[in-house]
């Protein structure tokens, strides 16, 4: 079983409009509603890849109830912890004319000290059943900024490989707990290290505590610095569409490859192909399965000097 933690879950709304024009009214052609937040997206992709997954984090209020209703018929097991506050919404507006997406993210509910303790109580037994755990996304208000560092340490104590996918101060503090893997994008990596050169920044992040660093480079693919070597993987061609959830699909690819014990070039091939196939899908947490199979054969992995 693979456990995904989403402390700031969301109800994802996607609006598709013929053309997005600022300062005007729009007629929405299509609306989709999905249970969201990074770890929930990861879990849905893991399920599609054939892996059992369990989701935990927080859910509350009317929005949280809708999220859990939508999650119920899907394969990930719901181990979300209830809270008094209302789960946030995220709104993605897709411009059909260009394929570009504009994203609006609410901050999330206020989490009390008692609710945080309830989560920690639920987290420990879930860890004991997990083959790997992913800690994903932003922290809702009220959760300690060092929360991920705490969760990383608990996973390491339990002997469970842990992937950390967050940004800013939660990432900085989480690194000190020495996660097995982090997956920042290029901007997050630059903010963490102060370097805009991805290879230098990734090496710096590894020195700060990450066992392995996999950096998302957008259309240029992914860069991985691992104990076994350094590689860059690039897709066969740029793809256009909705990028929401592409990074989450990459996390699912890395987690599934980890538990399958694949070599690093194969892990990166899966991550880049799955990420690109997600851009071609209409909503986060899904990917274009036909495109994924085609992309797998076209990803190029290059070994770099250590």
């Amino acid at each position: 079983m693979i456990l995904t933690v989403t402390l700031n879950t969301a109800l994802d709304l996607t609006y598709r409009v013929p053309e997005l024009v600022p300062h005007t009214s729009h007629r929405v052609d299509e609306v989709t509603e999905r249970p969201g937040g990074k770890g929930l997206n990861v879990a849905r992709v893991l399920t599609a890849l054939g892996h059992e997954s369990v989701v935990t984090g927080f859910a509350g209020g009317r929005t949280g109830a809708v999220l859990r209703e939508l999650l119920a018929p899907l394969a990930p097991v719901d181990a979300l912890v209830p809270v008094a506050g209302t789960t946030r919404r995220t709104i993605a507006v897709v411009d059909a004319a260009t394929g570009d997406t504009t994203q609006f993210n609410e901050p999330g509910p206020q989490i009390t000290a008692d609710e945080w303790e309830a989560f920690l109580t639920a987290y420990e037994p879930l860890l004991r059943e997990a083959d790997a755990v992913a800690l994903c996304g932003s922290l809702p208000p009220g959760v300690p900024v060092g929360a991920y560092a705490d969760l990383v340490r608990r996973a390491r104590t339990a002997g469970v490989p842990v992937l950390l996918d967050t940004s800013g101060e939660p990432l900085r503090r989480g690194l000190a707990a020495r996660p097995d893997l982090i997956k920042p994008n290029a901007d997050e990596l630059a903010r963490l290290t102060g370097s805009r050169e991805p290879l230098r920044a990734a090496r710096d992040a590894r020195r700060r505590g990450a066992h392995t660093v996999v950096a998302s480079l957008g259309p240029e693919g992914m860069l991985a610095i691992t104990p076994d070597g350094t590689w860059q993987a690039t897709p066969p061609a740029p793809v256009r569409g909705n990028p929401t959830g592409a990074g989450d699909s990459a996390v699912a690819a890395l987690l599934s490859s980890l538990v399958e014990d694949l070599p690093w070039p194969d892990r990166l091939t899966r991550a880049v192909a799955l990420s690109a196939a997600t851009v071609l899908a209409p909503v986060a947490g899904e990917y274009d399965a036909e495109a994924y199979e085609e992309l797998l054969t076209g990803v190029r992995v290059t070994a770099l000097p250590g």
Side-chain angles (χ1 to χ4, degrees):
M1 178 269 282
I2 299 175
L3 176 65
T4 71
V5 175
T6 312
L7 297 177
N8 210 6
T9 57
L11 181 65
D12 286 346
L13 303 175
T14 302
Y15 296 155
R16 185 173 293 273
V17 299
E19 184 179 9
L20 183 61
V21 182
H23 315 300
T24 65
S25 297
H26 294 78
R27 185 176 299 278
V28 177
D29 290 341
E30 181 184 351
V31 180
T32 56
E33 195 175 49
R34 295 287 189 277
K38 293 178 73 65
L40 269 71
N41 294 335
V42 170
R44 288 169 58 200
V45 175
L46 283 169
T47 297
L49 292 172
H51 288 270
E52 180 187 358
S53 61
V54 175
V55 297
T56 190
F58 297 115
R62 182 179 299 178
T63 310
V66 173
L67 181 152
R68 299 184 85 160
E69 288 173 7
L70 293 172
L71 184 62
L74 304 177
V77 175
D78 178 354
L80 296 168
V81 175
V83 294
T86 299
T87 296
R88 66 185 179 133
R89 296 165 297 177
T90 68
I91 300 173
V93 182
V94 180
D95 184 331
T98 65
D100 293 334
T101 300
T102 301
Q103 188 85 13
F104 300 89
N105 297 326
E106 296 179 354
Q110 181 75 31
I111 304 300
T112 68
D114 287 345
E115 288 166 344
W116 175 239
E117 286 300 321
F119 171 80
L120 293 177
T121 299
Y123 179 64
E124 296 282 358
L126 290 171
L127 273 181
R128 290 195 288 270
E129 301 298 323
D131 298 311
V133 57
L135 310 175
C136 303
S138 61
L139 300 178
V143 172
V145 70
Y148 282 138
D150 184 9
L151 299 184
V152 168
R153 282 190 289 267
R154 291 171 188 251
R156 289 180 60 82
T157 298
V160 179
V162 56
L163 183 154
L164 177 59
D165 184 19
T166 188
S167 60
E169 190 62 21
L171 173 58
R172 191 180 309 276
R173 297 202 184 193
L175 271 179
R178 304 188 65 81
D180 295 274
L181 172 62
I182 63 169
K183 195 217 63 66
N185 61 36
D187 287 340
E188 292 164 348
L189 198 55
R191 288 196 296 271
L192 174 70
T193 65
S195 174
R196 282 280 169 186
E197 202 288 303
L199 187 57
R200 178 181 298 174
R203 285 173 175 156
D204 186 3
R206 191 159 182 260
R207 284 193 296 268
R208 294 175 185 227
H211 189 67
T212 292
V213 178
V214 176
S216 296
L217 306 179
E220 297 178 15
M222 291 184 178
L223 171 70
I225 298 184
T226 83
D228 301 321
T230 300
W231 292 272
Q232 183 165 352
T234 55
V239 294
R240 293 187 64 84
N242 181 2
T244 306
D248 304 332
S249 289
V251 169
L254 294 170
L255 285 170
S256 61
S257 300
L258 184 155
V259 300
E260 294 171 29
D261 198 26
L262 298 183
W264 268 105
D266 292 348
R267 297 186 195 192
L268 291 175
T269 296
R270 180 180 291 184
V272 169
L274 199 55
S275 180
T278 299
V279 174
L280 298 172
V283 294
E286 298 179 1
Y287 63 92
D288 185 318
E290 184 176 342
Y292 170 58
E293 294 298 330
E294 293 178 0
L295 286 160
L296 277 173
T297 62
V299 174
R300 186 176 73 255
V301 181
T302 304
L304 302 178

